[in-house]
Amino acid sequence: MKNLKLLSLLFIGLLSFNVQAQQAPNKMSVFQDSLIKISTATVTALSDNEKLESNGRFVKLLVEALKTPNSFAYPFDSLKNVSIIKSTDQAFRTLTWYVQLENGSYRYYGTIQMNTKNGPLKLYPLIDQTENMNDPNVVTNNQKWFGARYYEIIPVTSGNRLPYYVLLGWKGNTQATTKKVIEILSFDKDNVTFGAPVFDGKELKGKNRVIFEYAKSNAMMLKTDVKAGMIVFDHLGSFDPEIKGKPEFYGSDGTFDGFKIIGGKLKLQEELTLNNEANSNDELYADPKKNIKPIRKF
């Protein structure tokens, strides 16, 4: 009789656990469906005011969803307008997106969600301050963020130094140009830092982040290449040899450069030979024009 009661209690306990385990994903799915609707409404809104108001509702609901215990494990994989990338060491993930305004400019939004041991929410909201940055090379924090839509995270460790992370991001800019950025992210206790002088190479001394700017009608590859063992990117050149320093005339010249992690630094490697495979991060790659004269610009 005692054994029967014990088995009954165990069965009830397991049933309760299974119900609770199912409730969390179902709740998150409901959140995701609502977020998709608001995100779609933001994109299709007719005015900037409507877009920003809708995006405000999106931010509030996203934070509410992330407050759900163990939300870090939920992928939000149907929320296509938000780029959600986890670090390979599972320490955190970035959620980043943008709102394109009527004048062709962009505002960026995002947060860093830490993977806490017992599941409570720990967020670092990312506040885009691009317009207020007189110097885009300045070291900042999450409250003064050089906004971008991140699509790749590469961890870097070296000796006893604190690890840092290389973030690759797309940054729509104006009606004339697009940017991509190699950002450096580090954590020290409860502080978040963006930017660090880890770049090593010609014209890179003192650089805390690397920003590429090129004609909006073109595309630029910036990604990790597992075979090459480095971060690789298209080398930018001017379409007109007579025009220098005007990024609206820049595009790939058909050659490649890269950064190889050596001793905790990102060492520039020039004129690489790559066997590239198709990658969604390459955007719509435009064939370079034959008469481009290479101009190095970081």
Side-chain angles (χ1 to χ4, degrees):
M1 192 67 177
K2 288 182 178 179
N3 289 337
L4 183 60
K5 286 183 178 180
L6 180 60
L7 287 172
S8 297
L9 289 172
L10 286 172
F11 176 76
I12 293 171
L14 287 171
L15 182 62
S16 175
F17 175 79
N18 287 332
V19 169
Q20 291 177 1
Q22 291 173 3
Q23 284 177 343
N26 289 340
K27 184 178 181 181
M28 295 302 290
S29 295
V30 172
F31 273 126
Q32 178 173 243
D33 290 342
S34 298
L35 287 166
I36 290 171
K37 291 178 182 177
I38 299 175
S39 179
T40 301
T42 302
V43 173
T44 57
L46 298 179
S47 71
D48 287 349
N49 286 339
E50 290 176 344
K51 287 183 179 183
L52 297 176
E53 184 179 337
S54 179
N55 186 69
R57 293 196 299 271
F58 180 89
V59 171
K60 289 180 181 178
L61 187 60
L62 177 62
V63 173
E64 186 179 343
L66 295 178
K67 287 180 180 177
T68 304
N70 300 305
S71 65
F72 186 86
Y74 191 77
F76 291 101
D77 48 3
S78 295
L79 192 57
K80 302 302 182 183
N81 291 336
V82 178
S83 178
I84 303 173
I85 309 295
K86 279 186 180 180
S87 61
T88 54
D89 58 7
Q90 300 295 305
F92 68 95
R93 65 178 178 177
T94 60
L95 298 87
T96 53
W97 69 97
Y98 62 85
V99 174
Q100 186 174 9
L101 303 179
E102 293 174 274
N103 64 2
S105 65
Y106 297 76
R107 288 189 186 177
Y108 292 86
Y109 299 85
T111 189
I112 298 171
Q113 182 182 19
M114 306 305 295
N115 186 6
T116 53
K117 293 181 180 179
N118 49 2
L121 183 63
K122 186 174 183 180
L123 292 180
Y124 293 100
L126 302 176
I127 312 301
D128 185 12
Q129 293 288 333
T130 303
E131 292 183 355
N132 300 320
M133 289 184 186
N134 295 324
D135 179 8
N137 190 53
V138 67
V139 174
T140 67
N141 54 33
N142 60 297
Q143 297 293 327
K144 192 176 181 180
W145 175 48
F146 188 72
R149 190 178 192 270
Y150 298 128
Y151 56 85
E152 199 163 351
I153 300 174
I154 306 105
V156 178
T157 57
S158 179
N160 295 324
R161 300 178 186 174
L162 284 174
Y164 68 86
Y165 300 86
V166 180
L167 308 181
L168 305 184
W170 179 91
K171 187 173 178 66
N173 188 41
T174 65
Q175 293 180 336
T177 67
T178 297
K179 293 181 179 181
K180 283 195 173 180
V181 59
I182 303 177
E183 181 66 271
I184 306 301
L185 169 66
S186 59
F187 300 92
D188 186 3
K189 296 180 181 179
D190 287 328
N191 297 316
V192 174
T193 300
F194 285 103
V198 298
F199 301 96
D200 183 5
K202 184 170 58 178
E203 300 180 14
L204 290 170
K205 186 177 181 180
K207 286 288 184 183
N208 294 309
R209 64 179 56 83
V210 171
I211 304 166
F212 304 93
E213 187 172 6
Y214 53 95
K216 191 169 186 175
S217 59
N218 292 281
M220 176 190 174
M221 178 192 69
L222 171 63
K223 65 178 182 179
T224 56
D225 186 310
V226 177
K227 291 182 180 179
M230 66 180 74
I231 300 166
V232 297
F233 50 90
D234 284 313
H235 182 85
L236 299 179
S238 173
F239 296 147
D240 185 342
E242 301 301 319
I243 299 175
K244 297 181 180 180
K246 292 188 176 182
E248 62 268 30
F249 298 102
Y250 277 61
S252 171
D253 66 3
T255 64
F256 306 95
D257 297 330
F259 284 108
K260 193 172 185 65
I261 300 170
I262 300 174
K265 294 275 191 176
L266 271 61
K267 177 71 174 178
L268 181 64
Q269 313 289 307
E270 298 181 289
E271 299 180 3
L272 302 174
T273 300
L274 301 176
N275 295 316
N276 290 312
E277 298 177 358
N279 187 298
S280 60
N281 292 330
D282 296 347
E283 304 174 306
L284 300 175
Y285 182 79
D287 290 331
K289 296 182 179 180
K290 294 181 180 179
N291 63 344
I292 294 176
K293 179 180 178 181
I295 299 176
R296 304 211 175 265
K297 180 177 176 64
F298 286 95

